[in-house]
């Protein structure tokens, strides 16, 4: 086949057909459950100042160093396509003085994100996330409740997932832990992968979740953050786990879970399909971020789920979609029938029974074959004769059985049958 002149950019997708319907379902269910937990929907721009992400996500992270789409506008502004959602929500919280609202403020978002990554299964350059952020109140119960909301969304989508959780401590205990970690890894430093040798200085925590087999083996014996938490972080983490137990949420402790962004403190979590390798979503607490971004001290937490990955997981599990296929096809022949068909189409639409219409000049045979391909159960046939007599034919597609009924009763007749 000849190469088409234009193709979509690498790592992007056209979303249509079944995939589009999975997307719609994920958006509907995630928003529905979030509303039940009193989240408010927010939309922030897809473009933001580049520096917003450098400062919040961290300039040593893969996202900022390698994956961000940045560009300069004609006016000289340095902007980035958003690689994640939290930074924008924090910016918005500060910019709009949301601290004046009753706390915590709870936001839901859904939309596209952009990362220049190597495309592979479940990894795209334009992907979608829905996310939740809770700002302005500090309590371990909120950490567990956030995990609970995500869990309930997966549940309503009929997906079985496990949450992995860990604590990254805070400014009080993490620096000492990092020192211990580096000390323990020092003797094996040369055996770490190239990437982790660099991380050893820039971002040593990330060595813990490196997927390289040698690195994985080396960190097995390294000290773990959970064993080195200060008293207050330990207490917080214990409370989070107790709440999770109480809510019957399936979780596993994962001392190697660190997440790829710099801003996390204390609780971090990720959701996986059972035996799944790729995370479906994740998040955590980021108590220092609002202050770092120029706001007042504000405890906060959040998380996001990848819509493509969830849609693929649903498809693999053959999760059913609502059957929205239309059951009725309206065929017409001749110009007077066509005019009438417009009216009948509207009558059906107003009665809440959408029908496939055929307003062209195709032969009856061509129209019937289209009805068949679309999977219609009934075809309504309106020809010249029927128009004169104010009648219409109902054809049951499977059996070929036809019946002529008065036109004025047609909506009622079809209602009875579907
Ligand atoms: P993160 O906060 O980076 O862990 O992203 C949260 C979730 O978004 C991940 O668990 C994935 O499900 C999804 N995600 C992140 N990056 C991509 C990508 N490049 N393509 C598809 N999904 C992604």
């Amino acid at each position: 086949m000849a190469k088409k002149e234009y193709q979509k950019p690498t790592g992007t997708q056209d979303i249509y057909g079944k995939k589009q319907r999975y997307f719609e379902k994920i958006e509907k269910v995630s928003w529905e459950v979030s509303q039940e937990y009193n989240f408010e929907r927010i939309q922030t721009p897809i473009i933001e100042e580049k520096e917003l992400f450098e400062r919040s996500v961290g300039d040593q992270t893969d996202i900022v160093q390698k994956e961000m789409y940045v560009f300069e506008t004609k006016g000289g502004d340095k902007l980035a396509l958003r690689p994640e959602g939290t930074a924008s929500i924090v910016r918005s919280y500060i910019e709009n003085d949301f601290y004046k609202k009753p706390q915590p403020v709870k936001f839901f978002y859904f939309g596209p994100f952009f990362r220049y990554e190597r495309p592979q299964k479940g990894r795209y350059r334009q992907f979608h996330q829905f996310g939740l952020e809770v700002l302005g109140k500090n309590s371990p119960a909120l950490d567990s409740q956030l995990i609970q909301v995500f869990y309930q969304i997966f549940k309503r989508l009929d997906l079985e997932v496990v949450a992995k959780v860990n604590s990254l401590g805070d400014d009080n205990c993490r620096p000492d832990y990092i020192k211990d970690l580096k000390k323990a890894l020092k003797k094996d430093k040369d055996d770490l992968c190239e990437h982790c040798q660099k991380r050893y200085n820039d971002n040593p925590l990330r060595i813990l979740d490196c997927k390289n087999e040698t690195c994985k083996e080396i960190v097995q014996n390294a000290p773990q953050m959970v064993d080195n938490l200060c008293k207050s972080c330990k207490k917080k983490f214990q409370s989070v786990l107790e709440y999770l137990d109480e809510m019957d949420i399936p979780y596993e402790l994962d001392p190697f879970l660190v997440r790829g962004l710099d801003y996390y403190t204390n609780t971090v979590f990720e959701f996986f399909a059972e035996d799944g390798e790729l995370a479906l979503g994740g998040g955590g607490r980021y108590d220092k971020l609002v202050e770092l971004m120029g706001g007042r001290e504000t405890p906060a937490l959040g998380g996001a789920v990848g819509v493509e990955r969830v849609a693929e997981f649903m498809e693999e599990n053959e999760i059913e979609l609502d059957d929205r296929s239309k059951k009725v096809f309206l065929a017409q022949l001749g110009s007077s029938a066509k005019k009438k068909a417009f009216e009948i189409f509207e009558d059906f639409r107003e009665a809440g029974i959408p029908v496939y219409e055929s307003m062209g000049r195709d032969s009856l045979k061509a129209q019937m074959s289209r009805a068949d391909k679309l999977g219609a159960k009934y075809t309504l046939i309106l020809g010249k004769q029927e128009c004169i007599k104010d009648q219409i034919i109902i054809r049951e597609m499977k059996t070929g059985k036809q019946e002529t009924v008065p036109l004025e009763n047609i909506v009622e007749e079809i209602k009875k049958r579907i």
Side-chain angles (χ1 to χ4, degrees), residues 63 115 117 122-125 127 129 259 261 264 270 279-282 304-306 308-309:
I63 292 184
R115 292 183 196 174
E117 294 198 78
R123 201 177 292 286
Y124 303 95
R125 289 183 177 169
F127 58 98
Q129 288 184 336
R259 311 259 313 130
L261 305 90
Y264 290 111
E270 275 188 345
L280 297 170
V305 168
E308 280 77 2
R309 289 195 195 167

Side-chain angles (χ1 to χ4, degrees), residues 246-259:
E246 220 156 277
M247 295 171 186
D248 266 341
I249 295 172
Y251 70 87
E252 287 168 13
L253 275 182
D254 181 352
F256 301 109
L257 179 66
V258 295
R259 311 259 313 130

Side-chain angles (χ1 to χ4, degrees), residues 333-382:
L333 278 176
S335 58
S336 54
K338 191 186 286 184
K339 266 190 217 131
K340 229 173 211 142
F342 272 117
E343 279 171 40
I344 300 170
F345 178 81
E346 286 303 317
D347 290 345
F348 272 102
R349 205 184 53 76
E350 277 167 23
I353 310 172
V355 298
Y356 292 115
E357 92 280 27
S358 161
M359 294 300 175
R361 279 205 230 156
D362 294 338
S363 68
L364 186 59
K365 196 165 157 227
Q367 294 188 54
M368 296 296 249
S369 126
R370 223 182 119 217
D372 217 30
K373 276 202 194 115
L374 288 166
K377 209 165 160 202
Y378 298 100
T379 298
L380 311 180
I381 306 167
L382 193 65

